[in-house]
Amino acid sequence: MTVKTLTAAPKPALGTVLSLLVVTWVLTAALAPSVLTDGSPTAIDLHATLLPPSWEHPFGTDDAGRDLLTRVIHGSRQSLGIGLGATALAFLIALVLGFTAALAGGVVDAAITRVLEVAFAFPALLLALLVISVRGPSLATVVVAVGIGSAPGYARMVRGQVLAVRQAGYIEAAAALGHSRFAVIRRHLFPNAVRPLVAVATLGVGQSIVWASGLSFLGLGVAPPSSEWGALLDAGRLHITTSWWLEILPGVVIVLVTLAVTTLGRTLQRRLEGAAR
C-alpha cells in the first residue's frame, strides 16, 4: 500500500510580501489616488513653503507650498505609465524583430542581427537621448525614447528563445502531423517562446521607471510643474542644500518601487523556470 504525503506550498519570502505591498500601494496611487490622499497636487500655499516633514505634511512641502506626498502619489500614474508603456513598446519591437530574424533566417536574419548588434553597442540611455533630441522632451517622447533604447537587448533575447524552441520535439511533431506553418507558430512556437520572457518584461518596468526619472531629472523628460517622479527630483535640486526632503524622499520612492518590481520579477522568473522543469 502506497501512502501519499502532501507537502505544503512554500511560504512567500518576506521580501516578496513587502514587494507586493509596495506594488499594491503604487497601483492604488496610480489608479485611485483619492484613496490615499484628498489633497490636490497643484494646490499652492505660499504660507507653507519649504516646510520639513511633519505629521501634517509627511514628505514636507515644496517651494510653492504644495504637499510633496500628495504630488508623489499623483505622480505615480505618470511614472508607472511610462514604465509600462516603454516596456510594452520595447517588447513589441523586440517580438517583431526577433521573430522575423529567427523565422526568416538567411540574409534577413543576418541583417537584423547586425543592426541589433550595432544598436546594442550603444548605451540604451544614449539611444533614448538621441530620440529626445529629435522629437523634443514630452511624456510621449519619453515613452518612445525609453522603449526604443530598451528594444535591442530584448530583441536579441526573443530571437534566441525562438531559435531554441524551434528545435523542440513538439514543434517537429506538430509539423509532421500536417499543421500549417502559421498554426504551428500561433499554437506552439509563439506561446512557448514568449512565456519565459514575461518575467523579463516585469523586470523591464522598474528599469524604465528609473531611466525615465533620470531623463526628467536632466531636464529632458517630463518638465515641472508635472508631479512625475523625475520632474519632482528636477524641481527639488535647486533646494537640495537647504530642503533635503525634496530630493531624498521622491528618490526613496523610486528606489523602493524599482526594487519591489524587480523582486517580483525575479520571483516570477524562478516560478516559471521551476514550472518548466
Side-chain angles (χ1 to χ4, degrees):
M1 181 177 179
T2 303
V3 178
K4 295 183 179 180
T5 58
L6 298 176
T7 57
K11 295 182 179 180
L14 178 60
T16 302
V17 174
L18 293 177
S19 298
L20 282 172
L21 293 176
V22 173
V23 170
T24 301
W25 180 88
V26 75
L27 285 175
T28 303
L31 299 176
S34 59
V35 173
L36 301 177
T37 178
D38 56 358
S40 169
T42 58
I44 296 176
D45 184 0
L46 297 181
H47 297 289
T49 59
L50 299 177
L51 294 179
S54 63
W55 183 259
E56 184 179 0
H57 303 286
F59 276 26
T61 63
D62 63 9
D63 54 355
R66 295 169 295 195
D67 183 73
L68 187 58
L69 178 58
T70 300
R71 288 177 60 75
V72 168
I73 291 172
H74 282 269
S76 301
R77 179 173 300 177
Q78 286 185 321
S79 295
L80 189 61
I82 290 173
L84 293 172
T87 303
L89 177 62
F91 265 86
L92 178 61
I93 297 172
L95 288 173
V96 173
L97 294 179
F99 269 85
T100 302
L103 296 179
V107 177
V108 176
D109 184 21
I112 293 177
T113 301
R114 296 298 175 270
V115 171
L116 291 177
E117 287 176 351
V118 172
F120 195 71
F122 288 92
L125 195 57
L126 184 60
L127 287 177
L129 290 173
L130 179 62
V131 174
I132 291 176
S133 66
V134 173
R135 292 176 54 90
S138 68
L139 180 62
T141 302
V142 171
V143 173
V144 173
V146 175
I148 291 177
S150 307
Y154 295 143
R156 294 178 65 184
M157 286 189 288
V158 171
R159 176 183 175 274
Q161 190 68 22
V162 173
L163 290 175
V165 174
R166 280 185 67 181
Q167 308 303 320
Y170 57 84
I171 298 294
E172 297 179 357
L177 289 173
H179 295 291
S180 66
R181 179 179 174 86
F182 176 75
V184 172
I185 293 174
R186 181 174 60 86
R187 297 177 184 176
H188 303 287
L189 183 59
F190 183 82
N192 288 285
V194 172
R195 188 178 296 113
L197 299 174
V198 173
V200 178
T202 305
L203 297 174
V205 173
Q207 185 183 57
S208 297
I209 291 175
V210 171
W211 285 357
S213 298
L215 291 171
S216 296
F217 178 74
L218 295 174
L220 299 173
V222 183
S226 168
S227 55
E228 188 265 335
W229 295 341
L232 293 180
L233 294 178
D234 183 29
R237 64 179 173 173
L238 299 175
H239 307 280
I240 189 172
T241 57
T242 56
S243 305
W244 57 268
W245 55 90
L246 297 179
E247 290 286 300
I248 299 300
L249 297 182
V252 169
V253 171
I254 294 172
V255 171
L256 287 178
V257 171
T258 303
L259 287 176
V261 173
T262 302
T263 299
L264 293 181
R266 297 289 187 189
T267 303
L268 179 61
Q269 189 175 38
R270 289 192 295 268
R271 293 289 179 88
L272 291 175
E273 290 175 351
R277 293 191 182 99

